[in-house]
């Protein structure tokens, strides 16, 4: 390791033998990433540099395009929805969705997402740690990690396969003393036993970033005696620690002082979120802006724009100098004829210079146009080169005469949308991993009977839902559906338009129950942001309430008899959302048989089939006898009051809804 990576006066041979493996791995990842981190610090300085001088111009290309990309990809709304899997039913999934909405607010996830997305775009990768869980409040406590103080295994591109990773954390004197007193830190008895201060290379990151904003950090702060730099190291145990229940090879968390002289803290990583349900995965979630397969290093927005930004800054300053020279040019003159040279620098009333021959006595220099056509075209080309790969878009070449056609603008917008859509999808991989970790932390830190009150704000005002955390204990986790709110806005608009166009076709093919279910679960959710509005518009019928209650018994594989008087179509639709056990499939089969018998009885009694009913013309308000018309969507979606309606056969289109 070079000198900047370690405190002065500390050599590798001074490290105890039991800590040399930690030092070797730290050194491996440090040397791997240090050069890139220095460049990233320089890019941050470029982003917000105020030390450019009073007579210079700095381009805003980097900050403008970076903020434009961030505003397109960041959203302060929920972007996750859990869907049923093999081992979880609809009721438990609904509880998870309610709990996720509550925790999104309690975790302050909107702020975490901003910091996480910012790191992802600027550094290429953003890191979120999902280790800690507050057992009192029953909530995960995620933390965004600064990439500049973070190191990882360079030999594996998948974080789950890393042999180790680490990050530097800082603690004050009293924080260290408090951790010693409560038994968390066991390697020392007093903070005096370890070196204080911050390594020069880490402090240099801070100094350069702050100096770029015209502040003056104090250099002696690196040696303050009440600030301690601790290495939090995640790796496999090299030895057995029977007193801590650790075996060689177990994944553990270590705290090591900055001199690599003492292990302050050691604990086994006991998350049990691995596929086998016994081992633990690393509690780190990674987002990438531009994913490159099979690579442990990716490029970033700053990498793409840095050279264009610097080039534009140089050209802007040259053009600025040329503009000043044109307004106040340099002169060549004949000394014998120009007696008072100071008149060339003053803009006073009496500044006329008497000469015999004007052209021969004095002439201005450097009067070229500061922004000629060639320079303008080159500046535009730089902007185009910066915009295209990040999908921020701009107008077509200024060399093209006339306005761009609607087709050209549409093509340009489509190219921008494709680039932004790809970035959004890549970043969603990390978001999906985050909510999987969220599920596993609840599963590890809760038991049967644990209850949490979730606060939901909706059309009904502030409501409180009681969530049974025991429902989370399933063999397999639920499916996680991640969507981009920005990307979804346009897609949802197109989908709503298509549904409106096809609404009449659904009316002609679905019976009243099918139409009601379509409106409740497909159509209206596309227009309403608040899910509680759906419950207000479509309250559950008696048969839906009964079928929902039966789902709890069927989920436990308890056999139940289907009732002859049941509305079999409604029961089948509700039971299809239950956990799929043998009892569930048998019960659905019984309803299907009773529904088939019901249709045969209707046909035997001479009642028209659904197809025959569709061919008969009806008024929108009903037939001549005043009976409700099944083709009227308003009557089709309202449950019948006090009247048993015989249910026709459910078409194939409705079964797939």
């Amino acid at each position: 390791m070079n000198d900047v990576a370690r405190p002065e006066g500390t050599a590798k041979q001074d490290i105890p033998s039991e800590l040399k493996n930690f030092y070797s791995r730290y050194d491996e990842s440090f040397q791997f990433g240090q050069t890139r981190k220095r460049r990233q610090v320089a890019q941050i300085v470029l982003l917000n540099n105020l030390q450019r001088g009073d007579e210079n111009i700095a381009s805003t290309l980097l900050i403008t395009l970076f903020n434009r990309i961030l505003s397109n990809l960041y959203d302060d709304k929920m972007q996750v929805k859990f869907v049923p899997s093999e081992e979880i039913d609809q009721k438990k999934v609904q509880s998870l969705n309610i709990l996720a909405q509550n925790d999104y607010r309690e975790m302050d996830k909107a702020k975490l997402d901003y910091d996480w997305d910012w790191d992802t775009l600027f550094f290429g990768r953003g890191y979120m740690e999902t280790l800690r869980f507050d057992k009192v409040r029953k909530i995960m406590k995620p933390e965004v990690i600064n990439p500049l103080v973070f190191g990882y295994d360079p030999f594996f591109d998948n974080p789950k396969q890393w042999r180790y990773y680490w990050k530097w954390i800082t603690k004050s004197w009293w924080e260290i003393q408090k951790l010693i007193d409560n038994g968390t830190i066991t390697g020392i008895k007093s903070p005096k036993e370890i070196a204080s201060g911050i390594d020069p290379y880490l402090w240099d990151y801070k100094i350069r970033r702050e100096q770029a904003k015209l502040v003056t950090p104090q250099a002696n702060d690196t040696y303050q005696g009440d600030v301690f730099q601790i290495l939090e190291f995640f790796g496999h145990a090299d030895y057995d620690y029977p007193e801590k229940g650790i075996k060689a090879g177990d994944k553990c968390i270590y705290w090591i002082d900055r001199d690599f002289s003492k292990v302050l803290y050691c604990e086994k990583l006991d998350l049990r979120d691995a596929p086998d349900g016994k081992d633990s995965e690393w509690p780190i979630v990674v987002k990438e802006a531009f994913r490159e397969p099979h690579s442990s290093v990716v490029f970033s927005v700053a990498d793409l724009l840095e050279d264009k930004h610097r080039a534009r800054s140089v050209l802007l300053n040259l053009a600025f100098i040329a503009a000043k020279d044109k307004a106040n040019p340099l002169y060549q003159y004949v000394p014998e004829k120009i007696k008072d040279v100071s008149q060339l620098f003053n803009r006073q009333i009496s500044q006329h210079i008497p000469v015999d021959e004007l052209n021969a006595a004095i002439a201005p220099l450097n009067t070229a146009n500061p922004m000629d056509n060639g320079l303008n075209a080159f500046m535009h080309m730089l902007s185009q080169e910066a915009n295209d790969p990040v999908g921020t878009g701009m107008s077509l070449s200024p060399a093209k005469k006339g306005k761009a056609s609607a087709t050209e603008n549409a093509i340009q917008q489509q190219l921008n949308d494709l680039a932004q859509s790809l970035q959004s999808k890549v970043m969603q991989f990390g978001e999906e991993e985050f909510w999987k970790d969220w599920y596993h932390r609840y599963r590890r830190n809760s038991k049967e009977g644990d209850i949490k009150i979730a606060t939901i704000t909706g059309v009904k005002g502030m409501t409180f839902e009681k969530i049974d955390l025991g429902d989370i204990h399933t063999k397999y986790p639920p499916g996680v559906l991640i969507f981009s709110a920005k990307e979804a806005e346009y897609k949802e608009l197109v989908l709503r338009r298509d549904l409106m166009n096809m609404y009449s076709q659904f009316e002609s093919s679905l019976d009243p129950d099918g139409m009601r279910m379509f409106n409740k679960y497909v159509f209206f959710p596309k227009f309403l942001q608040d899910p509680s509005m759906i419950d207000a518009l479509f309250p559950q019928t008696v048969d839906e309430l009964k079928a929902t209650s039966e789902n709890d018994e069927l989920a436990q594989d308890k056999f139940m008899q289907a009732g002859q008087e049941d509305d079999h179509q409604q029961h089948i639709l509700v039971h299809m959302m239950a956990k799929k056990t043998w009892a569930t499939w048998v019960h659905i089969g019984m309803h299907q048989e009773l529904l088939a018998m019901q249709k045969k009885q209707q046909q035997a009694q001479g009642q028209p089939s659904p197809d025959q009913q569709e061919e008969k013309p009806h008024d929108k308000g009903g037939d001549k006898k005043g009976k409700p018309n099944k083709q009227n969507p308003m009557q089709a979606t309202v449950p019948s009051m006090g009247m048993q309606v015989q249910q026709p056969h459910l078409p194939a289109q409705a079964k797939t809804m």
Side-chain angles (χ1 to χ4, degrees):
M1 179 175 292
N2 52 37
D3 293 337
V4 299
R6 296 194 42 73
E8 294 181 2
T10 305
K12 184 174 181 179
Q13 57 268 22
D14 298 330
I15 299 174
S17 58
E18 63 272 14
L19 291 176
K20 285 187 176 179
N21 283 336
F22 294 106
Y23 172 76
S24 177
R25 295 163 191 164
Y26 167 79
D27 183 45
E28 176 184 71
S29 60
F30 177 87
Q31 300 294 349
F32 173 73
Q34 182 64 6
T35 302
R36 178 166 175 78
K37 288 179 183 178
R38 286 175 179 158
R39 178 178 178 180
Q40 289 171 338
V41 173
Q43 291 171 342
I44 294 177
V45 172
L46 191 67
L47 182 73
N48 50 31
N49 188 19
L50 299 178
Q51 290 188 330
R52 55 181 176 268
D54 296 335
E55 298 297 325
N56 293 330
I57 298 176
S59 173
T60 60
L61 180 70
L62 179 58
I63 185 66
T64 300
L65 297 189
F66 181 82
N67 284 340
R68 193 176 300 173
I69 300 167
L70 182 61
S71 64
N72 179 70
L73 298 177
Y74 168 74
D75 204 316
D76 59 350
K77 299 185 181 71
M78 282 284 294
Q79 295 180 316
V80 61
K81 182 179 180 181
F82 293 97
V83 294
S85 65
E86 181 181 352
E87 284 289 323
I88 191 168
D89 58 26
Q90 186 71 26
K91 181 180 178 181
K92 293 180 179 180
V93 166
Q94 183 63 21
S95 297
L96 281 175
N97 284 322
I98 294 174
L99 186 60
Q101 292 179 29
N102 176 82
D103 284 8
Y104 183 88
R105 176 182 54 82
E106 289 191 5
M107 291 187 300
D108 202 6
K109 184 68 164 48
K111 179 179 178 298
L112 291 173
D113 280 343
Y114 178 87
D115 295 345
W116 197 11
D117 290 348
W118 200 100
D119 285 349
T120 301
L121 293 174
F122 196 88
F123 297 104
R125 271 185 166 183
Y127 304 98
M128 178 87 79
E129 190 173 77
T130 60
L131 171 64
R132 289 164 178 83
F133 189 91
D134 190 334
K135 295 184 179 180
V136 177
R137 295 179 57 201
K138 296 184 177 64
I139 190 171
M140 187 174 74
K141 299 174 65 177
E143 178 186 0
V144 179
I145 301 175
N146 182 358
L148 295 177
V149 299
F150 180 82
Y152 59 90
D153 183 356
F155 291 99
F156 295 91
D157 60 289
N158 185 357
K160 300 301 183 183
Q161 297 176 347
W162 285 345
R163 297 170 296 160
Y164 62 87
Y165 71 91
W166 52 263
K167 68 177 187 291
W168 286 111
I169 59 177
T170 53
K171 298 289 182 182
S172 68
W173 174 285
W174 294 112
E175 285 179 310
I176 295 291
Q177 187 62 56
K178 183 178 179 180
L179 293 171
I180 294 174
D181 294 339
N182 64 24
T184 301
I185 291 180
T186 58
I188 57 175
K189 296 182 179 179
S190 170
K192 296 180 180 179
E193 299 180 32
I194 58 176
S196 62
I198 300 176
D199 278 351
Y201 85 93
L202 289 178
W203 188 250
D204 184 60
Y205 293 164
K206 175 181 173 64
I207 288 177
R208 293 182 62 188
R209 295 179 67 170
E210 293 183 350
Q211 284 180 342
K213 301 172 185 176
L214 296 182
V215 298
T216 307
Q218 298 299 314
N220 62 353
D221 285 349
T222 55
Y223 308 107
Q224 289 292 331
D226 58 350
V227 177
F228 294 85
Q229 176 183 318
I230 307 296
L231 182 71
E232 189 171 66
F233 191 94
F234 292 76
H236 296 273
D238 295 320
Y239 308 98
D240 292 339
Y241 297 90
E243 65 277 7
K244 293 182 177 292
I246 298 175
K247 297 181 180 179
D250 288 343
K251 290 182 177 178
C252 299
I253 313 168
Y254 301 90
W255 279 12
I256 303 171
D257 70 311
R258 67 188 288 248
D259 285 342
F260 285 86
S261 63
K262 293 180 177 64
V263 175
L264 310 181
Y265 162 80
C266 176
E267 181 184 1
K268 180 180 178 180
L269 193 63
D270 190 22
L271 301 177
R272 303 181 190 177
D273 56 349
D276 61 3
K278 298 179 181 179
D279 294 332
S280 300
E281 302 277 13
W282 296 126
I284 189 77
V285 181
V286 179
K287 268 188 182 180
E288 295 176 327
F290 301 93
R291 178 173 174 79
E292 182 181 344
H294 322 300
S295 175
S296 58
V297 178
V298 295
F299 57 90
S300 66
V301 171
D303 294 331
L304 291 173
L305 302 182
E306 178 186 7
D307 54 342
K308 287 86 173 176
H309 180 97
R310 293 185 185 278
R312 282 179 60 90
S313 293
V314 171
L315 292 175
L316 284 174
N317 279 283
L318 291 176
F320 181 43
I321 293 173
K324 290 193 297 183
D325 288 343
K326 188 175 181 65
N328 188 14
L330 297 176
Y331 291 91
Q332 58 181 354
Y333 64 94
V334 178
E336 292 78 9
K337 297 182 178 180
I338 306 301
K339 303 303 182 181
D340 187 2
V341 179
S342 64
Q343 290 180 301
L344 300 177
F345 305 100
N346 297 326
R347 289 291 186 267
Q348 305 297 330
I349 296 177
S350 300
Q351 65 175 0
H352 302 289
I353 304 172
V355 295
D356 296 333
E357 296 180 9
L358 179 63
N359 293 333
I362 185 172
L365 297 176
N366 301 332
T367 58
N369 185 359
M371 293 291 287
D372 58 15
N373 292 335
L375 182 58
N376 270 321
F378 185 68
M379 295 280 281
H380 177 84
M381 184 183 69
L382 284 178
S383 299
Q384 188 73 44
E385 286 291 316
N387 277 270
D388 285 344
V390 294
T392 48
M394 63 180 298
S395 61
L396 299 176
S397 174
K400 178 181 175 63
K401 297 182 179 180
K403 295 183 178 180
S405 66
T407 302
E408 291 172 329
N409 289 332
I411 293 174
Q412 182 68 42
Q413 185 60 46
Q414 185 180 20
L415 294 175
N416 295 335
D417 291 344
L418 287 173
Q420 294 168 356
S421 175
L422 180 60
Q423 292 172 1
S424 175
K425 289 182 174 66
V426 171
M427 293 178 67
Q428 287 171 22
F429 297 152
E431 191 71 18
E432 181 179 355
E433 291 295 325
F434 173 87
W435 287 104
K436 286 181 179 179
D437 280 12
W438 173 86
Y439 168 83
H440 284 296
R441 299 302 173 266
Y442 265 110
R443 183 182 179 188
R444 178 68 184 93
N445 294 280
S446 62
K447 60 183 183 302
E448 294 290 339
D450 285 350
I451 300 296
K452 181 171 182 178
I453 304 299
T455 305
I456 304 298
T457 303
V459 66
K460 302 175 183 178
M462 188 75 71
T463 59
F464 301 92
E465 297 282 346
K466 184 180 292 187
I467 306 298
D468 183 2
L469 299 181
D471 288 345
I472 299 177
H473 289 260
T474 58
K475 185 176 181 181
Y476 300 103
V480 181
L481 178 63
I482 303 294
F483 59 92
S484 168
K486 294 293 185 183
E487 179 187 351
E489 288 178 0
Y490 175 72
K491 292 184 176 180
E492 289 291 303
L493 178 64
V494 174
L495 180 58
R496 287 195 293 266
R497 181 196 64 190
D498 293 342
L499 288 175
M500 290 291 293
N501 292 336
M502 294 187 298
Y503 196 86
S504 59
Q505 300 178 26
F506 286 112
E507 288 180 308
S508 62
S509 60
L510 299 178
D511 66 345
D513 274 340
M515 197 65 198
R516 180 178 180 275
M517 291 294 183
F518 169 76
N519 284 326
K520 181 175 182 178
Y521 294 109
V522 179
F523 188 72
F524 284 114
K526 297 298 180 185
F527 296 85
L528 302 175
Q529 295 290 335
D530 186 359
S532 59
M533 281 288 293
I534 305 296
D535 296 330
L537 292 173
F538 298 96
Q540 286 188 317
T541 64
V542 174
D543 282 281
E544 286 177 330
L545 291 170
K546 181 181 178 182
T548 302
S549 177
E550 291 174 347
N551 281 349
D552 296 336
E553 301 293 327
L554 296 174
Q556 301 177 21
D557 207 13
K558 294 182 179 179
F559 175 77
M560 300 189 68
Q561 185 72 32
Q564 293 281 350
E565 70 284 356
D566 290 342
D567 187 326
H568 303 297
Q569 283 187 281
Q570 289 190 9
H571 275 256
I572 291 173
L573 290 172
V574 175
H575 292 325
M576 291 301 294
M577 294 184 290
K579 180 180 178 180
K580 300 305 184 293
T581 62
W582 283 111
T584 304
W585 291 117
V586 171
H587 190 77
I588 292 175
M590 295 176 65
H591 278 295
Q592 290 173 339
E593 290 183 6
L594 291 173
L595 179 61
M597 292 175 58
Q598 188 182 72
K599 290 190 298 181
K600 289 182 179 180
Q601 292 176 359
Q602 292 175 356
Q603 294 175 359
Q605 295 172 1
Q607 297 182 7
S609 64
D611 295 336
Q612 293 172 337
Q613 289 179 349
E614 292 169 5
E615 294 174 358
K616 294 182 178 181
H618 294 285
D619 295 331
K620 293 184 178 180
D623 58 14
K624 295 181 179 180
K625 297 182 180 180
K627 295 181 180 179
N629 181 5
K630 295 180 180 180
Q631 305 305 315
N632 188 336
M634 296 302 297
Q635 295 188 16
T637 57
V638 178
S640 56
M641 303 297 293
M643 179 176 65
Q644 180 66 32
V645 180
Q646 292 180 333
Q647 303 299 325
H649 173 63
L650 185 65
Q653 297 94 320
K655 292 182 180 179
T656 59
M657 289 297 169

